[in-house]
Amino acid sequence: MFSLLPTLLIACTLISSVLTAPVPLAPLSLNDATITKVRNNMLQISTHSWELGTAAQTDLELRAPALTVLWPTAFPPPKSLSPVLNASASGALSIAKRVVRAKPASSKTLIDGDGAVGDPPSIGTAVLLANWTRSDPSDQSFSVAAAQQLDFLLNDAPRTSDGAISHRKDQTQLWADFVYMVPPFIAYYGALQGGDDGANLLQEAYDQCRLYRKYLLDTGSGLWKHIVLGNWQDNARWGTGNGWAAAGMFRVLETIRHSSVSSQFQSQTDDLTSWIQQIIDNTWKHQNSDGSLRNHLDDESSFVDTSSTALLAAVTYRMAVLTKDTSNVDAADKAFSYIKTQIDSNGWLANTVDPLTFTTPSASGSHSPEGQAFVLLLQAAYRDYSLAKSGGVRDMLLAYIQTR
Ligand SMILES: *[C@@H]1O[C@H](CO)[C@@H](O)[C@H](O)[C@H]1NC(C)=O
Ligand SMILES: *[C@@H]1O[C@H](CO)[C@@H](O)[C@H](O)[C@H]1NC(C)=O
């Protein structure tokens, strides 16, 4: 059943290497040398829980898209990986392996989250993939670790009275970041399980997006606040927070669409589509003339931030493929052109927000792990958008695997 996956992957690899050449098909594409440097830097400096989870997801979208929820080949994953696929997925799988090997058996969470409920689960999708594709069938460590992490989220973490799972452990507080870290894990878990239990988890992932939006949406700007509830708040419309929310909801949407129960979830996928579109439409209204976005998207006194510019452009290309609405593609193209001017010759993205303060630029000489990832998410999204646009090469491949 999965024998075509390697073929597909090789085809995609060939196509993407064609696309990285300066041909009219994908003129903005980063070259291979730059991609390699940006990736090596990402893998080298990603250490916090959410950075590892984001790096794993990014590496799959870049190198093994057929294994991600963005492709109809997502479910179920192959039982064993061909050498080609194994090599392409090795960045993500080695993060999952390292984390699970280091996890104390008594810890329900995958890794220490620096006080966050919501960050360690970001590694969960890679752990689930490692489980489904493991070469030793008697190895239950990935399955057990993923189940413990899910149990902690569903049964131990604090929640609001209406059910939003807290991003923090010590108090109930909601951060936009959560939407990229947790609902995609719960949704992937559910789609892999299938049946009624799986459908319940897909519904839970959707509900977390719905509840987070209920609390975080700023109705005036149509953008999301960063942090609400608890003993302090960040009501600013943080660029990266809006990117996390839009990109996280997109992964949930694609997980549901490619699951075996997608037909039961029409209203949920319609909602997710319009919620992502709302963020994107309201983001680009505030784009600077050079293509950049500001750290606080709708505040003209805020500094320029390349991280959110890259991530929001990535989601914009993904949404254009899904909805066929290309009205924001010019803005994304401008953003990508701008981002390319911000990558230095060593593959570091400049002018990022400091991801730990979220209110100041990164100190000179320091780099943003998530910013490195967002460049690659942008490259992968642009590649897939260009494929879809250029006479449906991608559609052809998809039709091929769907009729197998
Ligand atoms: C898959 O790749 C990893 C690391 O790149 C390697 O250690 C492992 O032996 C490979 N497994 C298979 C089945 O090829
Ligand atoms: C791990 O993989 C096996 C298939 O090898 C599957 O039956 C099990 O449900 C998986 N565990 C999780 C948590 O998905």
mmCIF file of all heavy atoms in Angstrom, residues 87-116:
data_model
loop_
_atom_site.group_PDB
_atom_site.id
_atom_site.type_symbol
_atom_site.label_atom_id
_atom_site.label_comp_id
_atom_site.label_asym_id
_atom_site.label_seq_id
_atom_site.Cartn_x
_atom_site.Cartn_y
_atom_site.Cartn_z
ATOM 1 N N ALA A 87 16.136 8.586 5.504
ATOM 2 C CA ALA A 87 17.152 9.649 5.510
ATOM 3 C C ALA A 87 16.477 11.024 5.515
ATOM 4 O O ALA A 87 16.912 11.926 6.236
ATOM 5 C CB ALA A 87 18.059 9.514 4.292
ATOM 6 N N SER A 88 15.407 11.169 4.747
ATOM 7 C CA SER A 88 14.731 12.469 4.694
ATOM 8 C C SER A 88 14.093 12.834 6.025
ATOM 9 O O SER A 88 14.003 13.999 6.380
ATOM 10 C CB SER A 88 13.642 12.463 3.624
ATOM 11 O OG SER A 88 14.179 12.062 2.396
ATOM 12 N N ALA A 89 13.616 11.826 6.735
ATOM 13 C CA ALA A 89 12.927 12.084 7.999
ATOM 14 C C ALA A 89 13.882 12.070 9.187
ATOM 15 O O ALA A 89 13.457 12.248 10.331
ATOM 16 C CB ALA A 89 11.827 11.045 8.207
ATOM 17 N N SER A 90 15.162 11.892 8.939
ATOM 18 C CA SER A 90 16.087 11.625 10.051
ATOM 19 C C SER A 90 16.214 12.791 11.024
ATOM 20 O O SER A 90 16.372 12.571 12.231
ATOM 21 C CB SER A 90 17.471 11.245 9.507
ATOM 22 O OG SER A 90 17.997 12.336 8.788
ATOM 23 N N GLY A 91 16.109 14.027 10.531
ATOM 24 C CA GLY A 91 16.210 15.169 11.448
ATOM 25 C C GLY A 91 15.099 15.119 12.485
ATOM 26 O O GLY A 91 15.338 15.223 13.696
ATOM 27 N N ALA A 92 13.873 14.928 12.025
ATOM 28 C CA ALA A 92 12.716 14.898 12.923
ATOM 29 C C ALA A 92 12.750 13.664 13.815
ATOM 30 O O ALA A 92 12.512 13.741 15.032
ATOM 31 C CB ALA A 92 11.427 14.915 12.110
ATOM 32 N N LEU A 93 13.057 12.510 13.225
ATOM 33 C CA LEU A 93 13.030 11.270 14.018
ATOM 34 C C LEU A 93 14.142 11.262 15.061
ATOM 35 O O LEU A 93 13.965 10.726 16.164
ATOM 36 C CB LEU A 93 13.129 10.051 13.098
ATOM 37 C CG LEU A 93 11.915 9.872 12.166
ATOM 38 C CD1 LEU A 93 12.111 8.677 11.246
ATOM 39 C CD2 LEU A 93 10.613 9.724 12.961
ATOM 40 N N SER A 94 15.269 11.863 14.751
ATOM 41 C CA SER A 94 16.333 11.833 15.758
ATOM 42 C C SER A 94 16.007 12.765 16.928
ATOM 43 O O SER A 94 16.376 12.481 18.064
ATOM 44 C CB SER A 94 17.706 12.110 15.143
ATOM 45 O OG SER A 94 17.797 13.451 14.792
ATOM 46 N N ILE A 95 15.267 13.841 16.670
ATOM 47 C CA ILE A 95 14.797 14.672 17.796
ATOM 48 C C ILE A 95 13.859 13.840 18.679
ATOM 49 O O ILE A 95 13.981 13.809 19.902
ATOM 50 C CB ILE A 95 14.100 15.952 17.275
ATOM 51 C CG1 ILE A 95 15.152 16.911 16.700
ATOM 52 C CG2 ILE A 95 13.295 16.634 18.384
ATOM 53 C CD1 ILE A 95 14.584 18.127 15.979
ATOM 54 N N ALA A 96 12.911 13.146 18.044
ATOM 55 C CA ALA A 96 11.971 12.315 18.818
ATOM 56 C C ALA A 96 12.724 11.265 19.631
ATOM 57 O O ALA A 96 12.429 11.042 20.815
ATOM 58 C CB ALA A 96 10.972 11.650 17.872
ATOM 59 N N LYS A 97 13.703 10.629 19.012
ATOM 60 C CA LYS A 97 14.456 9.579 19.708
ATOM 61 C C LYS A 97 15.224 10.136 20.891
ATOM 62 O O LYS A 97 15.196 9.577 21.986
ATOM 63 C CB LYS A 97 15.458 8.923 18.746
ATOM 64 C CG LYS A 97 14.813 7.840 17.918
ATOM 65 C CD LYS A 97 15.799 7.143 16.999
ATOM 66 C CE LYS A 97 14.982 6.396 15.949
ATOM 67 N NZ LYS A 97 15.578 6.306 14.647
ATOM 68 N N ARG A 98 15.914 11.234 20.659
ATOM 69 C CA ARG A 98 16.702 11.842 21.734
ATOM 70 C C ARG A 98 15.811 12.188 22.927
ATOM 71 O O ARG A 98 16.150 11.929 24.070
ATOM 72 C CB ARG A 98 17.358 13.131 21.213
ATOM 73 C CG ARG A 98 18.860 13.093 21.199
ATOM 74 C CD ARG A 98 19.448 14.479 20.935
ATOM 75 N NE ARG A 98 18.994 15.088 19.684
ATOM 76 C CZ ARG A 98 18.716 16.392 19.541
ATOM 77 N NH1 ARG A 98 18.829 17.224 20.559
ATOM 78 N NH2 ARG A 98 18.325 16.876 18.383
ATOM 79 N N VAL A 99 14.664 12.786 22.638
ATOM 80 C CA VAL A 99 13.769 13.233 23.709
ATOM 81 C C VAL A 99 13.205 12.031 24.469
ATOM 82 O O VAL A 99 13.193 12.017 25.704
ATOM 83 C CB VAL A 99 12.642 14.115 23.122
ATOM 84 C CG1 VAL A 99 11.505 14.309 24.109
ATOM 85 C CG2 VAL A 99 13.227 15.463 22.683
ATOM 86 N N VAL A 100 12.759 11.015 23.760
ATOM 87 C CA VAL A 100 12.143 9.869 24.439
ATOM 88 C C VAL A 100 13.189 9.070 25.224
ATOM 89 O O VAL A 100 12.918 8.607 26.338
ATOM 90 C CB VAL A 100 11.369 8.994 23.424
ATOM 91 C CG1 VAL A 100 10.927 7.681 24.048
ATOM 92 C CG2 VAL A 100 10.162 9.774 22.901
ATOM 93 N N ARG A 101 14.401 8.943 24.679
ATOM 94 C CA ARG A 101 15.461 8.229 25.408
ATOM 95 C C ARG A 101 15.812 8.941 26.717
ATOM 96 O O ARG A 101 16.153 8.308 27.697
ATOM 97 C CB ARG A 101 16.747 8.106 24.574
ATOM 98 C CG ARG A 101 16.624 7.334 23.286
ATOM 99 C CD ARG A 101 16.576 5.814 23.461
ATOM 100 N NE ARG A 101 16.243 5.174 22.187
ATOM 101 C CZ ARG A 101 15.013 4.785 21.834
ATOM 102 N NH1 ARG A 101 13.986 4.922 22.661
ATOM 103 N NH2 ARG A 101 14.789 4.229 20.655
ATOM 104 N N ALA A 102 15.732 10.269 26.707
ATOM 105 C CA ALA A 102 16.139 11.038 27.892
ATOM 106 C C ALA A 102 15.011 11.194 28.911
ATOM 107 O O ALA A 102 15.238 11.666 30.018
ATOM 108 C CB ALA A 102 16.634 12.419 27.465
ATOM 109 N N LYS A 103 13.796 10.811 28.540
ATOM 110 C CA LYS A 103 12.643 11.066 29.408
ATOM 111 C C LYS A 103 12.598 10.091 30.577
ATOM 112 O O LYS A 103 12.604 8.886 30.373
ATOM 113 C CB LYS A 103 11.346 10.927 28.597
ATOM 114 C CG LYS A 103 10.094 11.275 29.370
ATOM 115 C CD LYS A 103 8.849 11.099 28.536
ATOM 116 C CE LYS A 103 8.185 9.748 28.699
ATOM 117 N NZ LYS A 103 7.735 9.439 30.057
ATOM 118 N N PRO A 104 12.547 10.611 31.822
ATOM 119 C CA PRO A 104 12.377 9.694 32.959
ATOM 120 C C PRO A 104 11.005 9.009 32.862
ATOM 121 O O PRO A 104 10.026 9.662 32.486
ATOM 122 C CB PRO A 104 12.418 10.617 34.179
ATOM 123 C CG PRO A 104 12.868 11.954 33.691
ATOM 124 C CD PRO A 104 12.577 12.016 32.228
ATOM 125 N N ALA A 105 10.941 7.726 33.198
ATOM 126 C CA ALA A 105 9.674 6.995 33.065
ATOM 127 C C ALA A 105 8.563 7.644 33.884
ATOM 128 O O ALA A 105 7.392 7.576 33.527
ATOM 129 C CB ALA A 105 9.877 5.544 33.506
ATOM 130 N N SER A 106 8.931 8.309 34.969
ATOM 131 C CA SER A 106 7.916 8.894 35.848
ATOM 132 C C SER A 106 7.357 10.207 35.294
ATOM 133 O O SER A 106 6.353 10.707 35.790
ATOM 134 C CB SER A 106 8.525 9.155 37.219
ATOM 135 O OG SER A 106 9.600 10.071 37.073
ATOM 136 N N SER A 107 8.006 10.772 34.297
ATOM 137 C CA SER A 107 7.533 12.047 33.747
ATOM 138 C C SER A 107 6.441 11.799 32.726
ATOM 139 O O SER A 107 6.620 11.049 31.770
ATOM 140 C CB SER A 107 8.697 12.799 33.082
ATOM 141 O OG SER A 107 8.191 13.851 32.281
ATOM 142 N N LYS A 108 5.284 12.424 32.943
ATOM 143 C CA LYS A 108 4.208 12.269 31.964
ATOM 144 C C LYS A 108 4.448 13.152 30.739
ATOM 145 O O LYS A 108 3.949 12.870 29.659
ATOM 146 C CB LYS A 108 2.873 12.660 32.588
ATOM 147 C CG LYS A 108 2.211 11.548 33.404
ATOM 148 C CD LYS A 108 0.837 12.041 33.812
ATOM 149 C CE LYS A 108 -0.128 10.920 34.064
ATOM 150 N NZ LYS A 108 -1.482 11.465 34.366
ATOM 151 N N THR A 109 5.178 14.253 30.936
ATOM 152 C CA THR A 109 5.439 15.135 29.799
ATOM 153 C C THR A 109 6.699 14.661 29.076
ATOM 154 O O THR A 109 7.573 14.022 29.668
ATOM 155 C CB THR A 109 5.596 16.599 30.239
ATOM 156 O OG1 THR A 109 6.749 16.716 31.067
ATOM 157 C CG2 THR A 109 4.376 17.061 31.020
ATOM 158 N N LEU A 110 6.800 14.988 27.804
ATOM 159 C CA LEU A 110 7.894 14.461 26.984
ATOM 160 C C LEU A 110 9.252 15.008 27.400
ATOM 161 O O LEU A 110 10.288 14.356 27.217
ATOM 162 C CB LEU A 110 7.652 14.804 25.507
ATOM 163 C CG LEU A 110 6.555 13.989 24.818
ATOM 164 C CD1 LEU A 110 6.200 14.618 23.471
ATOM 165 C CD2 LEU A 110 7.027 12.543 24.631
ATOM 166 N N ILE A 111 9.246 16.212 27.957
ATOM 167 C CA ILE A 111 10.496 16.908 28.271
ATOM 168 C C ILE A 111 10.125 18.014 29.247
ATOM 169 O O ILE A 111 8.951 18.381 29.343
ATOM 170 C CB ILE A 111 11.097 17.499 26.958
ATOM 171 C CG1 ILE A 111 12.522 18.028 27.145
ATOM 172 C CG2 ILE A 111 10.224 18.578 26.370
ATOM 173 C CD1 ILE A 111 13.186 18.421 25.799
ATOM 174 N N ASP A 112 11.095 18.550 29.960
ATOM 175 C CA ASP A 112 10.805 19.671 30.841
ATOM 176 C C ASP A 112 10.358 20.866 30.008
ATOM 177 O O ASP A 112 10.978 21.201 29.007
ATOM 178 C CB ASP A 112 12.049 20.037 31.645
ATOM 179 C CG ASP A 112 11.780 21.230 32.552
ATOM 180 O OD1 ASP A 112 10.942 21.104 33.455
ATOM 181 O OD2 ASP A 112 12.365 22.307 32.314
ATOM 182 N N GLY A 113 9.285 21.521 30.430
ATOM 183 C CA GLY A 113 8.739 22.611 29.622
ATOM 184 C C GLY A 113 8.959 23.985 30.220
ATOM 185 O O GLY A 113 8.255 24.914 29.860
ATOM 186 N N ASP A 114 9.905 24.157 31.110
ATOM 187 C CA ASP A 114 10.146 25.466 31.753
ATOM 188 C C ASP A 114 8.848 26.061 32.294
ATOM 189 O O ASP A 114 8.594 27.255 32.115
ATOM 190 C CB ASP A 114 10.781 26.472 30.757
ATOM 191 C CG ASP A 114 12.037 25.937 30.081
ATOM 192 O OD1 ASP A 114 13.030 25.722 30.787
ATOM 193 O OD2 ASP A 114 12.008 25.718 28.847
ATOM 194 N N GLY A 115 8.016 25.244 32.927
ATOM 195 C CA GLY A 115 6.771 25.747 33.501
ATOM 196 C C GLY A 115 5.591 25.758 32.539
ATOM 197 O O GLY A 115 4.485 26.130 32.908
ATOM 198 N N ALA A 116 5.825 25.362 31.304
ATOM 199 C CA ALA A 116 4.734 25.364 30.318
ATOM 200 C C ALA A 116 4.101 23.981 30.201
ATOM 201 O O ALA A 116 4.800 22.976 30.121
ATOM 202 C CB ALA A 116 5.248 25.801 28.947
#
